[in-house]
Amino acid sequence: MTDENKNMAFREEKSTVRPLVSVCISVYNGEDHLRKCLDSVLSQDISSMEIVLVNDGSTDGTSEIMHEYQNRFPEIRIIEQENRGLAQGRWTGVKNSTGSYITFLDADDYLLEGAYKTILQFMENNEADIYEFQTIREGYYSKSPYSGIMEAGQVLADYFNGVKIPVNYWLRWFKRELFSESVFPVGISLHEDVYGFPCLLNRADTIAYIGKPLHVHIKTPVSIMNTLYEKKNTREYFEKQKILLLSIPHIVSNIGQNVIDTEYKESFSHYITRTYLKIVFMDVKGISYNEKLDAIIETLGLKMSRRELERYISQNVGQQSRLNCVIHLLGLHEGYRLYDLRKRLSHSPLWGLRNRTRRLSRRMRYKVDMVSHPEQTKCFCPCCGMKFREFKEGPFLNRPDRYDPKRYINIDQSVLCPFCGSMPRHRILAAWCEKHTELLRSSTILYFAPEPNMMLWMKRNRVKCTTADLFQKADLTLDIQKTGLPDESYDLIIANHVLEHVDDFRKALKEIHRILRPDGLFICSFPMDPKVETLDEDEGIKTDEMRLSRYGQNDHKRLFGLKADHLLADAGFSVTVIKGEDYPDEILPVIGPADYDMNRLFCCRKFRIE
């Protein structure tokens, strides 16, 4: 037994009551996000938990924040060490933990409300060595293509064969026994999950999948990966990405060559080849095809020539893509030449014409489909006038830095028109406008913060309007709170989801009332929280992070309630509520995509205040 393992055993014997889970958080200069991370963990409904904080040589206020929380919460343990990188920081956390299960977080992560309670409820009826849940991360929804309980060996074989499985440690709870020996690479600061995850799968028997998003990962500007990607296409980027190659001998030494030869021989050869291809097809200026082959040979100390390496890759490449098939049939060099030709063509004007032709072709296919199978085209968008089979999913869960996931995860996100991107509130407004087209054509219209899909409706129906915005391109650059326009100058004013963004919405309403003609109409909508009676507004909420937490979006300055029409009436308007449920299901006038999107429009007619 090594000294490190003896230390772990000693700590286990010393602990009289082992916590159920140890949350290991290795932090380097994370003062900007650490509080939110810790608050999300400490708010979990779980009685048996410890938090192991590893200060990995931070030079900012990270240590002070850690000790501040430790003074308030005895379940927090702090370990200080010199900067050794994230992988060794996590291993330090594991060695100093005592929980039956071990999980990890980064300082810029946070847990959703009730996350650990959901895991505990799942564990009651499902025994496994690893429990995996879903995460929301910037750019995509990260989850494995499995459900229920799987054999870990099968998942490992699928991973080697190229099945897209997220490798991140913070997606999972691991049984403590899986860390009997370290799986973390020494001296490696990037891609440490790629090194360790296959080794943990090999030690496990089963892995259980919880089909719910419980975790949010934020990609911060100063994160290791983001800093690296800023240098993409440079030689420095290439040199750091070569670290991926070293995962191959690391996995072999941990799993064992005999186990790989007997259980994963073919699939592991696909993994090796896929790793080689990542290096060969890396788009880096100034590094030739032969230099990339030499880099693979030198990094791994391979005793083969370039030609032998090309032959190995061509023989063992999987055939999951067209490019892989070309490499398998024609060889690596020919595949690379075709890839390079396609890349150069993509920058030519002809490539832009090709993309426009494809978009036009897709639109024509939809129209043919609409004529050929009218019974299947049950959806309609009044903004663009297109019929189609189904609405598409929105991007809101993929932007936790802008939209609060708690507001979205329990609502169907398939609410966007696949052609113009309209949401329910746009389609309800367009449907209302359809009923009053002649009125709109004969009115002078001022449209604040015009949405592209509604401008498409205006263009299709030959309705003229003057657009106004303070930040985006528009006919007039105006602040809705102080326009400087003449009194009683417009018949109709539209402000769709504008009032929640301005500093003083009452001032904006007063200004709209001033420039609206007698009996003129003001059409508006705004986020409405069903838990709020009239208004949720706090002048102390000033940062993007505070607004995101309180109002659900980082640029919202308030949330309106179910009786918000009273606020409009107080501003001098006679208010009629336009409800989504009064419109046909084909335009999908539902609540969403967030829980505060009640999708009610307010038709406000001006009357004079004596």
Side-chain angles (χ1 to χ4, degrees):
M1 182 181 289
T2 65
D3 291 340
E4 289 179 344
N5 291 335
K6 288 178 181 178
N7 290 338
M8 290 179 67
F10 172 75
R11 271 184 291 275
E12 291 173 7
E13 292 172 6
K14 186 177 178 180
S15 177
T16 56
V17 180
R18 173 179 290 181
L20 176 64
V21 62
S22 297
V23 184
C24 300
I25 308 174
S26 177
V27 188
Y28 174 72
N29 289 351
E31 65 176 359
D32 292 338
H33 302 275
L34 183 56
R35 292 182 188 278
K36 183 172 183 178
C37 174
L38 291 175
D39 288 342
S40 73
V41 178
L42 292 164
S43 66
Q44 298 299 314
D45 188 9
I46 179 172
S47 58
S48 181
M49 172 182 69
E50 71 171 354
I51 302 173
V52 182
L53 298 178
V54 180
N55 181 16
D56 191 36
S58 299
T59 57
D60 62 357
T62 294
S63 181
E64 289 77 4
I65 295 173
M66 287 182 174
H67 285 89
E68 173 194 330
Y69 274 80
Q70 186 185 46
N71 292 335
R72 292 160 50 198
F73 302 99
E75 60 265 42
I76 292 179
R77 181 181 303 169
I78 299 175
I79 296 92
E80 305 271 358
Q81 67 176 30
E82 294 181 357
N83 182 244
R84 298 171 61 191
L86 181 58
Q88 290 305 303
R90 284 176 171 164
W91 179 230
T92 299
V94 171
K95 291 186 295 182
N96 287 275
S97 66
T98 59
S100 300
Y101 288 88
I102 295 173
T103 189
F104 302 89
L105 280 176
D106 290 344
D108 47 8
D109 298 350
Y110 65 91
L111 299 170
L112 294 178
E113 185 178 350
Y116 284 0
K117 183 178 181 180
T118 300
I119 296 174
L120 295 177
Q121 291 174 344
F122 186 85
M123 291 173 68
E124 289 178 0
N125 301 314
N126 300 276
E127 175 65 28
D129 296 322
I130 302 173
Y131 293 91
E132 179 177 325
F133 42 88
Q134 299 174 5
T135 190
I136 303 165
R137 56 188 307 185
E138 189 171 358
Y140 60 92
Y141 204 28
S142 185
K143 57 184 178 180
S144 293
Y146 306 108
S147 60
I149 298 179
M150 292 284 296
E151 294 291 329
Q154 180 60 53
V155 176
L156 180 56
D158 290 346
Y159 172 72
F160 285 153
N161 277 317
V163 175
K164 291 185 178 180
I165 300 171
V167 298
N168 313 92
Y169 292 125
W170 31 254
L171 274 172
R172 302 169 175 94
W173 279 24
F174 302 92
K175 269 191 176 178
R176 180 175 188 78
E177 290 75 17
L178 300 182
F179 291 95
S180 56
E181 294 181 2
S182 175
V183 297
F184 300 97
V186 178
I188 301 295
S189 59
L190 292 171
H191 307 299
E192 72 286 343
D193 300 339
V194 176
Y195 285 71
F197 176 64
C199 307
L200 292 170
L201 276 181
N202 179 65
R203 297 177 187 178
D205 293 324
T206 55
I207 178 169
Y209 293 90
I210 305 170
K212 294 182 179 180
L214 306 177
H215 168 276
V216 177
H217 177 71
I218 303 294
K219 186 178 178 182
T220 59
V222 295
S223 67
I224 297 174
M225 294 306 297
N226 200 51
T227 304
L228 176 63
Y229 285 131
E230 287 179 356
K231 303 174 182 177
K232 200 170 183 179
N233 304 333
T234 65
R235 185 172 289 273
E236 181 183 353
Y237 174 81
F238 178 76
E239 293 297 325
K240 289 189 176 181
Q241 288 291 61
K242 285 195 306 183
I243 292 173
L244 280 170
L245 294 168
L246 298 176
S247 68
I248 297 170
H250 179 87
I251 292 171
V252 172
S253 64
N254 273 271
I255 295 180
Q257 188 66 57
N258 292 335
V259 175
I260 289 176
D261 289 341
T262 56
E263 299 182 28
Y264 306 109
K265 186 173 183 179
E266 183 178 354
S267 60
F268 191 66
S269 66
H270 291 329
Y271 174 80
I272 293 174
T273 305
R274 197 169 64 255
T275 306
Y276 291 169
L277 289 176
K278 287 179 181 178
I279 303 301
V280 172
F281 286 94
M282 196 175 292
D283 187 12
V284 182
K285 296 178 182 179
I287 299 182
S288 67
Y289 168 79
N290 285 335
E291 284 183 273
K292 293 173 184 177
L293 294 181
D294 291 340
I296 296 172
I297 294 171
E298 293 170 8
T299 301
L300 293 175
L302 302 178
K303 296 179 179 180
M304 59 172 64
S305 64
R306 293 175 187 165
R307 184 64 59 86
E308 289 172 329
L309 178 59
E310 288 178 336
R311 190 180 302 116
Y312 175 86
I313 293 174
S314 301
Q315 291 173 351
N316 292 281
V317 68
Q319 300 183 35
Q320 298 95 342
S321 67
R322 284 179 290 183
L323 178 60
N324 284 9
C325 291
V326 170
I327 293 171
H328 184 71
L329 293 172
L330 303 180
L332 176 62
H333 195 201
E334 291 302 317
Y336 183 85
R337 290 177 63 186
L338 288 172
Y339 169 81
D340 187 58
L341 176 63
R342 184 182 185 277
K343 183 180 67 177
R344 282 188 276 118
L345 284 174
S346 67
H347 298 292
S348 71
L350 289 176
W351 197 264
L353 178 61
R354 169 227 186 219
N355 289 338
R356 289 193 294 272
T357 303
R358 290 180 67 177
R359 287 195 295 269
L360 180 60
S361 174
R362 186 176 65 128
R363 196 176 185 94
M364 291 303 298
R365 284 200 305 272
Y366 267 97
K367 288 190 175 182
V368 170
D369 194 29
M370 186 172 65
V371 174
S372 305
H373 306 283
E375 73 284 354
Q376 296 182 11
T377 53
K378 299 178 181 179
C379 302
F380 172 67
C381 176
C383 296
C384 61
M386 294 298 293
K387 287 188 176 182
F388 39 91
R389 294 187 180 185
E390 59 185 3
F391 291 93
K392 72 173 185 178
E393 189 171 301
F396 308 101
L397 280 171
N398 300 330
R399 293 288 308 278
D401 58 324
R402 179 170 172 78
Y403 308 105
D404 185 355
K406 296 193 294 293
R407 299 278 187 172
Y408 293 84
I409 57 176
N410 294 320
I411 297 177
D412 185 3
Q413 295 299 299
S414 300
V415 296
L416 267 62
C417 169
F419 289 98
C420 69
S422 68
M423 290 191 284
R425 66 171 182 264
H426 303 127
R427 295 191 291 272
I428 295 169
L429 176 58
W432 181 88
C433 291
E434 291 275 4
K435 294 182 179 180
H436 302 86
T437 303
E438 293 304 320
L439 171 65
L440 269 64
R441 286 176 181 165
S442 61
S443 301
T444 54
I445 304 173
L446 180 62
Y447 199 145
F448 283 99
E451 300 102 333
N453 31 59
M454 276 306 301
M455 295 310 296
L456 182 60
W457 183 92
M458 297 279 185
K459 183 177 179 180
R460 287 178 51 244
N461 290 274
R462 301 188 303 279
V463 174
K464 295 181 180 180
C465 72
T466 301
T467 59
D469 202 300
L470 189 58
F471 305 105
Q472 304 297 327
K473 184 178 179 181
D475 298 328
L476 301 175
T477 302
L478 295 179
D479 181 352
I480 195 173
Q481 300 165 105
K482 188 178 181 181
T483 64
L485 295 172
D487 293 350
E488 302 180 353
S489 50
Y490 286 95
D491 298 313
L492 175 65
I493 298 175
I494 302 174
N496 211 11
H497 275 236
V498 174
L499 297 179
E500 69 273 20
H501 296 282
V502 300
D503 292 332
D504 188 342
F505 79 94
R506 291 181 176 86
K507 188 176 180 180
L509 290 175
K510 184 177 180 180
E511 180 70 1
I512 289 168
H513 189 278
R514 182 185 67 81
I515 64 175
L516 199 59
R517 288 173 182 159
D519 285 332
L521 291 179
F522 170 47
I523 307 297
C524 66
S525 70
F526 32 71
M528 298 176 63
D529 191 332
K531 300 176 183 177
V532 176
E533 183 176 1
T534 305
L535 182 68
D536 179 13
E537 185 177 39
D538 185 348
E539 293 182 358
I541 306 294
K542 295 183 178 180
T543 67
D544 286 356
E545 192 172 83
M546 294 169 71
R547 284 191 284 265
L548 179 67
S549 177
R550 176 73 171 266
Y551 304 131
Q553 190 168 314
N554 66 359
D555 56 354
H556 284 179
K557 297 182 179 179
R558 63 192 58 83
L559 277 178
F560 294 88
L562 296 179
K563 295 182 179 180
D565 54 320
H566 295 179
L567 300 172
L568 298 170
D570 292 343
F573 295 101
S574 173
V575 183
T576 302
V577 181
I578 305 169
K579 297 181 179 180
E581 53 263 34
D582 296 336
Y583 289 86
D585 292 339
E586 65 176 359
I587 72 170
L588 202 68
V590 297
I591 294 176
D595 61 2
Y596 52 65
D597 285 316
M598 303 296 290
N599 296 320
R600 294 182 183 178
L601 299 180
F602 298 90
C603 182
C604 310
R605 188 173 295 276
K606 173 181 175 178
F607 61 86
R608 293 184 181 275
I609 302 177
E610 299 299 336

